[in-house]
Amino acid sequence: MAEAPQVSRRSRMRQFFRVALRYWCGRTRWRAWALTITVLVFIAAQTAAAVGINRWNRWFFDALEKRYVAAVWATTGWLPFLLGAAALSMCGLVISRMLLQVRWRENLTRRLSGWWIADQRYYRLGFLAKNMTAPEYRIAEDVRLAIEPLVELAIGLITAFVTAATFAAILWQVAGSAEFALGASTIVIPSYMAIAAVVYAAIASLGAYLAGRPLVARVAHKNEMEAQFRAEMTRLRENAESIALIKGDADERSSASESYAKVVAAWLQIVRQQGMIALVLNTNSALFPIVPLLLIAPKFLTGTITMGAVVQVVAAFSAVQAALIWFVDNFVRLAEWFASVTRVDELMEELEALDIGTIMEKEERIALGESDDGAVHLDNLSIAHSNGRVVVADATVTIPQGAKVLIAGESGSGKSTLIRALAGIWPWGSGSIRVPAGQSIAFVPQKPYLPKGNLRTILLYPDSDRDIPDDAITAALQRCGLGYLAKKLDLEEEDWDRVLSGGERQRVAFTRLLLQKPDIIVMDEATSALDEENQASLLRLFDEELNAATLISVGHRPGLEDYHDQKITLERRPAGAHLTSRRLRKSLWRVFRNRSAANEDEGSEADRGR
């Protein structure tokens, strides 16, 4: 697949918000707007409380300057009410902000995880987007890092705007104008404190931007390296037994060290950039309290304003300046937030690519349909790997209802790929697959999946809510050689994936078939972990309890032919056969049919041995 073009930051933001802002539409809109309005109300209340405290400072210090004891005590009496209002507004803002974060994240996580899981996108994504590392981490963690800081940053930005406007008006009113004599002329600068706050904030913001601009890309790279390291550790845990058996500890330790070295290198780049930003921020912190005092001092020394006015102006200047340098204070968080937005948007982009078919031309997809005669039809079916290499081409086969078909062939000939195409999770190719309408289909892989839960949940999966009597479940367990597990049917949850051996897992899969009674059964090496005796016992199910089902199975072990009526042998295609833009090149497809008729033919044994 060709490398995707670089997407601009503006495009990333637009694509992310196109999906994320759907929280304010549809069924969730009433809750979303209610939370949003509540947050805005508490922002207004918090600003009002801050203005009240600012004015209290002027009244209090004016009373101190004039030594009015009664005024001092009267002013002090208002302080508990102002502090209480500030505390309540802050508490309400925190609660409403966290509720908005939780609900918005819930909405986006449900939407994105549902999108990823539906229609086997989680499976196909691994083939189409090999560079898409850890999609589950992007959903679980990057969505959180994209939503939670976004709410806080949005609240901070709104608060900064409201604060800057409110306290700039106070500066305009209280500080007044500045007059400077230049020769015989007098220069008047109206509202010079407000102008000074804006200029100072602009200079500080520009310095932070220049120092921190490279941080976005470096944070994104760090997150990618962290995700790769987690994926490496997960792979080690999931394959722990195989690695331990072949004593691959040294190699895995070396691989883990190399992977973590990339994490360290990425972090060191961030540390260097953070040092540059810290230099700007610490310089600003040192100047922050000094600048307004130096600017207002001349007016106080000339007696133009009172001490209370000085305190009020300094506090208002600090509030305006703090609001206007919001970007400076939050640049690092903005960089980290945008890095998470980028990772979430990349996942959305790949999921959209699956839906709109940008990876593969429409005519090169395998069409899935329904048949009305009870048979499974493969019509001009051609199957290719995701890299374009053809493994099966131009196959036309009809599998009648109730038939038992064995698919054989050497490794790499496309047996398992054909099973995936029948399951509808492998779209690469052309032609069509039609299965009987209204019939249930069960797929049995080589390594059956065992979800979390008790044994009953495991056996009834994926329809764990079915009401099946205990004696029926016990009988199915006994028939499949698992009768000793019947006493654990409703015990506490266990990690069955580790408790059961490979052979036991495969017998669980056959127990599910007995309980489900599907019309069509598709198996892929479903008896590979069983000895010949247990394999024969379970395969007899298709001549007895499951004799009415259509069976399509992949296998190469001896003796499988005895339990099938037909045999399809796939021959491996030579290297170099790939998809073309309009057609698929032909491969060999040989069908050996009708076991009973073949048994009467003198050459049947030779055919069967192939």
Side-chain angles (χ1 to χ4, degrees):
M1 184 171 64
E3 185 177 353
Q6 292 293 322
V7 181
S8 68
R9 293 181 183 179
R10 183 177 298 178
S11 257
R12 288 286 183 210
M13 298 274 285
R14 185 166 56 248
Q15 293 173 15
F16 170 77
F17 281 116
R18 179 171 55 82
V19 176
L21 292 181
R22 291 177 187 172
Y23 177 53
W24 278 263
C25 307
R27 293 181 300 175
T28 59
R29 66 183 182 277
W30 298 112
R31 172 185 285 173
W33 283 110
L35 287 173
T36 304
I37 292 172
T38 303
V39 167
L40 293 176
V41 168
F42 281 115
I43 289 176
Q46 187 181 7
T47 305
V51 170
I53 292 174
N54 179 266
R55 290 183 177 178
W56 180 90
N57 274 285
R58 178 173 183 171
W59 298 335
F60 182 76
F61 281 97
D62 279 344
L64 284 179
E65 184 182 21
K66 296 176 181 179
R67 293 178 173 82
Y68 290 165
V69 177
V72 169
W73 286 111
T75 305
T76 305
W78 283 100
L79 188 59
F81 296 101
L82 291 172
L83 294 179
L88 288 175
S89 61
M90 177 59 71
C91 179
L93 181 59
V94 168
I95 293 174
S96 58
R97 183 255 299 168
M98 294 183 69
L99 284 173
L100 182 57
Q101 288 173 322
V102 170
R103 294 304 185 184
W104 192 6
R105 180 191 174 190
E106 176 189 30
N107 178 266
L108 184 57
T109 300
R110 286 181 183 275
R111 187 182 299 275
L112 199 55
S113 60
W115 192 4
W116 178 56
I117 294 172
D119 297 328
Q120 294 89 37
R121 292 185 185 90
Y122 57 88
Y123 174 77
R124 289 185 284 145
L125 197 65
F127 295 96
L128 291 176
K130 297 185 183 298
N131 294 328
M132 178 56 56
T133 57
E136 68 283 356
Y137 177 80
R138 296 176 190 239
I139 294 172
E141 187 66 12
D142 281 313
V143 167
R144 181 183 69 82
L145 295 175
I147 293 299
E148 291 184 358
L150 176 58
V151 174
E152 294 176 7
L153 292 169
I155 291 174
L157 184 59
I158 294 171
T159 303
F161 176 80
V162 174
T163 300
T166 302
F167 284 94
I170 293 175
L171 286 177
W172 191 298
Q173 179 184 4
V174 178
S177 303
E179 297 182 358
F180 299 94
L182 186 61
S185 303
T186 299
I187 299 176
V188 178
I189 303 177
S191 189
Y192 76 104
M193 290 294 289
I195 294 174
V198 172
V199 172
Y200 180 87
I203 294 172
S205 297
L206 179 62
Y209 174 75
L210 294 177
R213 186 178 180 183
L215 191 63
V216 173
R218 293 180 180 180
V219 171
H221 178 65
K222 180 265 296 180
N223 289 348
E224 183 69 19
M225 295 302 101
E226 293 273 19
Q228 289 184 10
F229 179 65
R230 278 187 293 271
E232 184 83 7
M233 296 296 98
T234 301
R235 182 191 59 79
L236 174 62
R237 176 178 56 80
E238 291 177 346
N239 297 276
E241 183 177 356
S242 300
I243 295 171
L245 287 173
I246 62 175
K247 302 188 184 305
D249 306 44
D251 186 68
E252 293 300 323
R253 185 168 59 250
S254 174
S255 177
S257 297
E258 290 178 7
S259 182
Y260 190 68
K262 296 178 181 178
V263 175
V264 173
W267 266 108
L268 290 177
Q269 289 183 337
I270 291 177
V271 169
R272 286 192 290 271
Q273 203 62 41
Q274 288 273 34
M276 298 292 294
I277 297 174
L279 179 63
V280 174
L281 296 182
N282 289 333
T283 302
N284 175 65
S285 297
L287 292 174
F288 193 97
I290 299 174
V291 172
L293 284 173
L294 294 177
L295 291 174
I296 199 64
K299 301 197 77 171
F300 175 74
L301 294 175
T302 59
T304 307
I305 60 174
T306 64
M307 175 61 72
V310 170
V311 174
Q312 185 181 19
V313 166
V314 170
F317 183 94
S318 299
V320 172
Q321 197 266 344
L324 293 177
I325 64 167
W326 175 88
F327 175 79
V328 176
D329 293 337
N330 290 279
F331 190 87
V332 175
R333 295 192 67 199
L334 282 167
E336 293 174 344
W337 169 75
F338 185 76
S340 295
V341 166
T342 299
R343 287 174 54 79
V344 173
D345 183 68
E346 286 172 350
L347 177 58
M348 293 177 181
E349 196 172 56
E350 295 296 344
L351 292 174
E352 284 182 344
L354 291 178
D355 294 340
I356 65 178
T358 56
I359 304 289
M360 185 173 56
E361 293 184 13
K362 196 170 184 178
E363 63 268 20
E364 292 176 344
R365 289 183 180 272
I366 298 171
L368 302 177
E370 297 180 345
S371 65
D372 54 8
D373 59 358
V376 177
H377 296 273
L378 311 181
D379 299 321
N380 296 318
L381 180 65
S382 297
I383 306 175
H385 284 163
S386 57
N387 61 5
R389 188 175 74 84
V390 178
V391 289
V392 173
D394 295 342
T396 299
V397 176
T398 297
I399 301 174
Q401 185 172 6
K404 308 293 187 287
V405 178
L406 174 64
I407 301 174
E410 61 180 307
S411 178
S413 59
K415 303 186 301 296
S416 295
T417 308
L418 175 59
I419 294 298
R420 296 179 187 127
L422 286 168
I425 63 174
W426 194 268
W428 295 281
S430 65
S432 65
I433 297 175
R434 292 183 293 132
V435 298
Q439 291 196 5
S440 58
I441 305 177
F443 292 89
V444 185
Q446 183 176 4
K447 187 178 180 181
Y449 172 65
L450 305 182
K452 292 182 178 179
N454 56 28
L455 184 59
R456 183 187 298 274
T457 300
I458 301 299
L459 295 175
L460 299 183
Y461 184 83
D463 189 9
S464 301
D465 295 330
R466 281 180 301 156
D467 186 14
I468 297 182
D470 289 359
D471 55 352
I473 298 177
T474 300
L477 285 169
Q478 291 174 343
R479 173 63 182 84
C480 295
L482 295 174
Y484 54 88
L485 293 177
K487 60 185 178 180
K488 297 183 178 181
L489 198 58
D490 291 307
L491 295 183
E492 294 181 359
E493 295 184 7
E494 287 195 51
D495 189 359
W496 294 103
D497 197 44
R498 295 181 178 275
V499 171
L500 300 180
S501 66
E504 287 174 320
R505 291 165 63 110
Q506 291 187 342
R507 290 200 291 273
V508 164
F510 279 89
T511 305
R512 289 173 177 170
L513 294 178
L514 279 179
L515 297 173
Q516 293 172 6
K517 294 290 194 301
D519 300 304
I520 301 173
I521 300 170
V522 183
M523 303 194 307
D524 184 8
E525 302 282 1
T527 61
S528 59
L530 300 171
D531 55 52
E532 292 187 8
E533 182 179 352
N534 278 302
Q535 173 183 272
S537 173
L538 293 178
L539 290 179
R540 281 197 296 272
L541 290 171
F542 302 113
D543 290 330
E544 299 169 0
E545 291 92 335
L546 300 173
N547 65 321
T550 301
L551 174 64
I552 304 172
S553 65
V554 165
H556 62 275
R557 296 183 65 183
L560 291 177
E561 293 92 339
D562 296 334
Y563 300 94
H564 296 80
D565 304 319
Q566 304 174 17
K567 181 179 178 182
I568 298 175
T569 301
L570 302 181
E571 292 187 355
R572 186 172 183 177
R573 291 178 54 76
H578 282 70
L579 278 168
T580 62
S581 60
R582 293 292 178 184
R583 59 184 298 274
L584 293 166
R585 297 175 186 159
K586 293 183 179 180
S587 70
L588 296 176
W589 176 282
R590 295 190 298 166
V591 182
F592 294 84
R593 292 193 169 198
N594 201 336
R595 183 182 63 187
S596 59
N599 287 338
E600 299 174 0
D601 194 305
E602 293 180 356
S604 61
E605 292 299 323
D607 284 342
R608 185 171 299 176
R610 250 180 281 194

